[in-house]
Amino acid sequence: MTTLVEAPSTPAHKNPQVLRWLGAYTASTLGDSVYYLALSWSAVSTGSPAQAGLVMAAAAVPRALLMLGGGVIADRLGPRRVVIASDAVRALVVLGLAAALLTATPGLWALAAIGLVFGVVDALFLPAVGALPPRVAERDQLARVQGMRGISYRLGAVLGAPLGGLAVALGGPATAFGVAGILFALSLPLLLGLRLRPLPEEDRTGGGTALRDLADGLRYLRGHRTLGPLMIVVLLADLGFTGPLNVGLAVLSEQRGWGASGIGWILAGFGVGAGGASLLLTVKGHVPRAGLVMGWTMAVGAVSIAALAYIPWLPLAALAALSVGLLAGLSGALCNALVQTECDPAYLGRVSAVSSLGSLGLAPLSFPVTGAAIGVWGPGPVFVASAAVCALSGVYALAVPALRRAELPA
């Protein structure tokens, strides 16, 4: 009797389809970083700081309102088409703005309109780019793909701002917008070269209305033993983590006398830790008892978040931030990997939209609340309260049996 042996899957770092997707994602992430720096510089140069803040916030509203619809479109049209269209629109809009800046100075309304366009495009792009990994990699490689994506994201964040600053210094905002547009355009040939793995016929989205598809996706999430609780975990972690990182660190650095360089060192510590977590997942490709590890890293990482507010020395604060980045980076990567492996690919656009809605749509609403709370009670109690919310996300993950026992493919 002959025993059939399943052929080993291609490692993600040797899979040309994964590498094309990753190259396109890296170029797009770099383009985003350069674009936002150029937009903020143009807005500050044109108006007051308050007006510049409104320009930068213009993208948040359509992104939050349209994110779930973007997930439906990704599942109906296919994520590759949506990502290609999104990057093409961003390239054309930004290159057009760069050309306009060579002859005139756009007012704040024009810059806000560009921000609104980017918010709409982001609402389509983010769910689609999250739905692509299962179409280009085997299931047992998806955790490694998420690690590679994390490294790419950190690379874009670290290199994008200096690249944008250099472009502004050499040729002003027009040059920076031109660089961003070229980076968006560079992703297009890579995306066009992708060859996707076909979905099983029975898993494809039906021919109903978009609203019905959205309701179907939400019902799928609600009835899934692992993904439903995982969305609650993601939302709690984002709400607890985002406010202190984006608002509290500035207040903390000012009170401690660390200045802007202090914020830089703390963010650098966080970035190194998060990058290390992504590298670990990339190299290992599999974390045993992923659900259990995710819950514990969230709970333990909350201790480091609370400690940040009570550390008077900058080097120790940077080490605490490194710990936060390592633990939060690992738990976040495991969350994404579990979404990729647990979700039916036909629903992945809608599920990715729900997952992204917490961090990019709802969590930013906590910024003014965090700032007001720090003004009343100081950073210590607010950091502790935020850490308690993060710890609650870990405790909830450990309390739900299906999530605690969730495993990544070996």
Side-chain angles (χ1 to χ4, degrees), residues 146-390:
Q146 291 307 309
M148 296 166 69
R149 180 182 179 182
I151 293 174
S152 173
Y153 178 81
R154 295 295 159 197
L155 186 67
V158 169
L159 298 181
L163 179 61
L166 178 62
V168 170
L170 292 177
T175 301
F177 281 121
V179 170
I182 291 171
L183 286 167
F184 289 132
L186 284 177
S187 70
L188 296 177
L190 295 170
L191 292 169
L192 290 168
L194 280 181
R195 297 294 176 264
L196 305 187
R197 296 157 56 86
L199 291 180
E201 195 65 34
E202 64 271 18
D203 287 342
R204 296 185 184 276
T205 303
T209 65
L211 189 59
R212 184 175 299 174
D213 283 347
L214 176 59
D216 184 40
L218 295 177
R219 278 194 300 269
Y220 171 78
L221 260 182
R222 185 180 60 187
H224 200 288
R225 296 171 63 247
T226 302
L227 290 177
L230 184 58
M231 294 301 105
I232 297 175
V233 169
V234 170
L235 178 61
L236 289 173
D238 287 336
L239 289 176
F241 178 76
T242 308
L245 186 68
N246 288 274
V247 180
L249 284 183
V251 178
L252 201 61
S253 292
E254 182 182 11
Q255 291 186 356
R256 297 285 191 272
W258 297 336
S261 63
I263 301 177
W265 279 108
I266 293 174
L267 290 177
F270 172 81
V272 170
S278 296
L279 181 62
L280 174 66
L281 197 57
T282 300
V283 173
K284 279 188 66 71
H286 173 71
V287 176
R289 307 188 73 178
L292 187 67
V293 172
M294 179 190 68
W296 276 112
T297 50
M298 285 180 170
V300 175
V303 177
S304 297
I305 294 175
L308 269 174
Y310 296 97
I311 297 176
W313 301 289
L314 180 57
L316 290 181
L319 285 176
L322 187 147
S323 171
V324 173
L326 182 63
L327 296 170
L330 182 57
S331 61
L334 290 175
C335 281
N336 290 332
L338 287 172
V339 167
Q340 299 285 327
T341 55
E342 292 284 342
C343 185
D344 183 329
Y347 290 93
L348 194 49
R350 283 162 284 181
V351 173
S352 296
V354 174
S355 178
S356 300
L357 182 63
S359 60
L360 297 172
L362 301 180
L365 299 178
S366 68
F367 292 175
V369 177
T370 302
I374 289 176
V376 175
W377 294 295
V382 174
F383 269 71
V384 170
S386 298
V389 176
C390 289

